[in-house]
């Protein structure tokens, strides 16, 4: 489907009109790194910047999908249009048919005001930092007032996704990740709101205590600094979700009044520009870096008539 030539203005108009198929098609263009993306992003730009982007991260099985589901329900109860983006940085599958099953969003499958999309980003030049912000921009321009980004998978992606969100929720469960494990994984720094889910299990109180302690050790302090709250939930029955919502509301207020929202978004834009520029450079390098020009330079380095630095300068000179 994405091989067809896209009528970008019509697609963007349809997406802004709230047509889920147009939104899905635009995100497919992102996934496929379509040449039409340049025009898509230029057309979308004036309509972006209103969505509150919330990242949800945590180990597999901790309750991310269940919690996302509960938070979506709470925002829907407020009448907001919600986007959900499930990102799998390790999956080689495009289109996310398998991921689609993984996201337990049946409650919202028939709700036209909830856009749910899975996206695989492996294989893209630039990976997550390249594709996710563009997909977020599509959902933002389509009128989603809140967008939840859920990472499926583990590792570095957790930290990476935090850079993409206005607010990052770090989810833990008793016995799965106590404060010390969290500190080791480097996730204490990225959380704006910590949620200890599965509070119906033993050890929830101890996990909350550990976390509060570890967070306080790392706190910069000072007046006006954000102090990440630790909230307990039993997401499977909706318990504690109102506390999560209150924490999210407070964080939005703080982001806005402190000016952090703006600076986070500027940092994000910087990352995005880097990722796009690097991907462009890399593909151009691959163009000149595999042909006659590099063969001659390599021969000259071996012959000793030039050195690798001068050769690299010459190669880059050929790009500009
Ligand atoms: P994810 O892999 O992080 O997305 O986790 P899921 O949302 O798929 O949840 C993993 C399992 O934990 C599922 O079987 C959920 O029903 C269950 N689960 C989620 N929240 C809770 C909770 O608060 N308490 C208990 N006991 N189970 C939960």
């Amino acid at each position: 489907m994405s091989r067809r030539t896209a009528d970008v203005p019509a697609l963007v108009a349809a997406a802004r009109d709230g047509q889920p198929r147009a939104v899905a098609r635009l995100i497919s263009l992102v996934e496929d790194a379509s040449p039409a993306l340049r025009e898509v992003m230029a057309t979308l730009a004036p309509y972006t910047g209103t969505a509150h982007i919330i990242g949800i991260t945590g180990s597999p099985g901790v309750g991310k999908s269940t919690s996302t589901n509960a938070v979506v329900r709470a925002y829907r109860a407020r009448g907001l249009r919600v986007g959900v983006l499930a990102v799998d940085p390790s999956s080689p599958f495009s289109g996310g048919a398998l991921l689609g099953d993984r996201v337990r969003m049946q409650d919202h499958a028939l709700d036209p005001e909830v856009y749910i999309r899975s996206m695989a980003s492996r294989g893209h030049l630039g990976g997550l930092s390249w594709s996710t912000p563009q997909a977020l921009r599509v959902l933002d321009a389509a009128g989603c007032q809140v967008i939840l980004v859920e990472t499926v998978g583990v590792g570095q992606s957790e930290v990476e996704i935090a850079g993409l969100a206005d607010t990052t929720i770090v989810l833990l469960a008793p016995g799965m990740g106590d404060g010390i494990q969290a500190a080791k994984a480097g996730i204490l720094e990225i959380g704006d709101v910590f949620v200890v889910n599965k509070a119906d299990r033993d050890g929830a109180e101890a996990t909350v205590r550990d976390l509060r302690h570890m967070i306080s050790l790392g706190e910069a302090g000072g007046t006006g600094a954000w102090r990440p709250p630790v909230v307990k939930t039993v997401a499977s029955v909706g318990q504690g979700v109102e506390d999560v919502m209150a924490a999210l509301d407070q964080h939005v207020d703080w982001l806005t009044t402190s000016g952090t929202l703006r600076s986070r978004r500027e940092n994000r834009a910087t990352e995005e520009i880097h990722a796009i520029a690097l991907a462009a450079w890399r593909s151009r390098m691959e163009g000149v870096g595999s042909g006659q020009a590099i063969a001659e330079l390599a021969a000259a380095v071996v012959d000793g008539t030039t050195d690798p630095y001068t050769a690299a300068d010459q190669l880059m000179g050929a790009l500009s």
Side-chain angles (χ1 to χ4, degrees):
M1 169 165 117
S2 51
R3 302 288 171 267
R4 286 199 321 250
T5 320
D7 179 352
V8 171
L11 259 182
V12 169
R16 289 187 37 72
D17 202 32
Q19 295 180 27
R21 288 189 58 179
V23 177
R25 174 113 166 83
L26 287 170
I27 295 180
S28 292
L29 295 178
V30 173
E31 264 197 324
D32 294 349
S34 163
L37 265 190
R38 190 173 277 265
E39 188 188 353
V40 170
M41 289 304 141
T43 314
L44 291 180
Y47 308 117
T48 57
T50 47
H52 174 209
I53 298 172
I54 303 169
I56 299 193
T57 187
S59 308
V62 76
K64 289 186 297 296
S65 293
T66 314
S67 302
T68 300
N69 207 12
V71 170
V72 169
R73 189 179 307 120
Y75 278 119
R76 285 300 297 132
R78 295 181 181 181
L80 301 185
R81 182 180 289 181
V82 183
V84 180
L85 194 63
V87 187
D88 185 350
S90 61
S91 170
F93 301 105
S94 180
L98 293 174
L99 276 167
D101 293 334
R102 171 85 190 41
V103 184
R104 275 165 278 277
M105 286 282 141
Q106 294 93 332
D107 290 11
H108 308 291
L110 298 175
D111 184 341
E113 293 294 305
V114 180
Y115 298 159
I116 299 165
R117 180 65 190 224
S118 302
M119 199 168 68
S121 64
R122 194 173 90 169
H124 274 305
L125 288 168
L128 264 187
S129 54
W130 185 91
S131 55
T132 311
Q134 308 206 51
L136 290 172
R137 197 165 284 132
V138 170
L139 291 168
D140 185 357
C144 294
Q145 288 138 309
V146 177
I147 307 172
L148 292 143
V149 192
E150 183 192 339
T151 31
V152 179
V154 278
Q156 189 53 25
S157 56
E158 294 182 351
V159 177
E160 234 182 302
I161 210 73
L164 299 167
D166 298 320
T167 302
T168 299
I169 302 177
V170 171
L171 223 65
L172 298 124
M176 288 187 67
D178 61 18
I180 292 159
Q181 278 173 311
K184 278 193 190 142
I187 55 169
L188 283 181
E189 292 79 21
I190 64 170
D192 298 305
V193 174
F194 289 86
V195 176
V196 176
N197 188 39
K198 304 198 181 181
D200 51 334
R201 298 209 171 155
D202 287 346
E205 267 318 318
T207 305
V208 169
R209 214 179 321 114
D210 272 3
L211 259 178
R212 290 210 169 113
H213 179 62
M214 298 302 289
I215 292 166
S216 70
L217 293 180
E219 251 165 17
T223 42
W226 175 253
R227 312 192 64 170
V230 181
V231 179
K232 267 190 310 185
T233 60
V234 184
S236 47
V237 297
Q239 195 180 310
V241 175
E242 68 280 10
D243 297 331
V244 176
M245 297 301 289
L248 291 171
D249 291 343
Q250 280 165 16
H251 192 245
V252 173
D253 283 348
W254 175 81
L255 281 172
T256 317
T257 50
S258 67
T260 312
L261 186 65
R262 177 82 195 179
S263 59
R264 281 194 179 185
R265 288 182 172 183
E266 285 182 0
N267 289 341
R268 214 149 76 203
T270 306
E271 291 291 321
E272 199 179 355
I273 296 165
H274 273 159
I276 292 172
L278 270 176
W281 270 84
R282 203 176 298 148
S283 75
R284 286 166 68 188
M285 275 298 286
E286 277 158 12
V288 297
S290 59
Q292 181 69 16
I294 186 120
E296 283 172 13
L297 286 168
V301 170
V302 172
D303 290 340
T305 53
T306 190
D307 66 278
Y309 285 93
T310 309
D313 284 346
Q314 285 176 3
L315 196 64
M316 292 204 287
L319 295 178
S320 45

